């Protein structure tokens, strides 16, 4: 089963994302911020990381940078799910190693098709 690490400081957003992904047959693990996500990622392996950008403690861009330094996450697809649609934020995400960018509020079908596309 494909496993996804979903990172967002908003409980309702994590619930919505989890519900959508689990309904599509994915195994989902949740984290509340980048620090927690990084700790989980060091002990478990995921096929994809879906993260918010604006979070306390460690934001999504820092998380992606940190994950890319771990051997087993060098090539893992990482999607940013965020209210930020500004070009400079997208550029920062891309430079950090993000695979793609989904703007909130997200459409569940769009989220799933994007995930299926990056998982190939």
């Amino acid at each position: 089963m494909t496993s996804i690490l979903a990172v967002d400081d908003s409980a309702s957003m994590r619930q919505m994302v989890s519900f959508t992904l689990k309904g599509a047959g994915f195994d989902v693990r949740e984290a509340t911020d980048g620090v927690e996500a990084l700790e989980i990622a060091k002990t478990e392996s995921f096929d994809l990381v879906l993260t918010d950008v604006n979070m306390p403690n460690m934001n999504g861009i820092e998380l992606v940078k940190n994950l890319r330094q771990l051997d087993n996450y060098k090539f893992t697809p990482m999607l940013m799910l965020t209210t930020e649609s500004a070009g400079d934020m997208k550029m920062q995400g891309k430079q950090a190693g993000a695979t793609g960018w989904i703007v909130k509020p997200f459409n569940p079908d769009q989220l799933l098709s994007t995930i299926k596309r990056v998982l190939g």
Side-chain angles (χ1 to χ4, degrees):
M1 185 185 280
T2 305
S3 61
I4 297 177
L5 178 58
V7 192
D8 202 305
D9 57 327
S10 157
S12 60
M13 185 51 72
R14 279 196 315 276
Q15 270 178 327
M16 239 179 356
V17 167
S18 269
F19 181 78
T20 300
L21 298 176
K22 286 176 181 170
F26 293 106
D27 182 32
V28 182
R29 179 78 196 269
E30 298 176 15
T32 55
D33 63 31
V35 173
E36 185 186 357
L38 190 58
E39 288 308 307
I40 293 170
K42 284 177 179 173
T43 59
E44 294 177 46
S45 195
F46 297 93
D47 301 299
L48 182 135
V49 177
L50 182 65
T51 181
D52 184 17
V53 170
N54 299 314
M55 298 180 290
N57 306 317
M58 183 192 294
N59 69 31
I61 290 171
E62 289 299 315
L63 172 62
V64 168
K65 273 185 196 160
N66 280 292
L67 287 172
R68 286 288 180 225
Q69 290 168 3
L70 303 175
D71 283 343
N72 54 336
Y73 286 96
K74 278 194 169 51
F75 305 106
T76 304
M78 298 187 196
L79 296 174
M80 310 301 276
L81 179 62
T82 178
T83 52
E84 293 281 350
S85 59
D88 61 323
M89 281 303 266
K90 285 186 183 173
M91 187 53 81
Q92 280 181 38
K94 206 173 185 128
Q95 286 168 344
T99 313
W101 199 273
I102 300 167
V103 179
K104 293 178 195 170
F106 71 93
N107 166 325
D109 294 333
Q110 180 205 7
L111 176 66
L112 293 171
S113 71
T114 302
I115 287 173
K116 287 179 180 137
R117 195 171 65 239
V118 298
L119 288 173

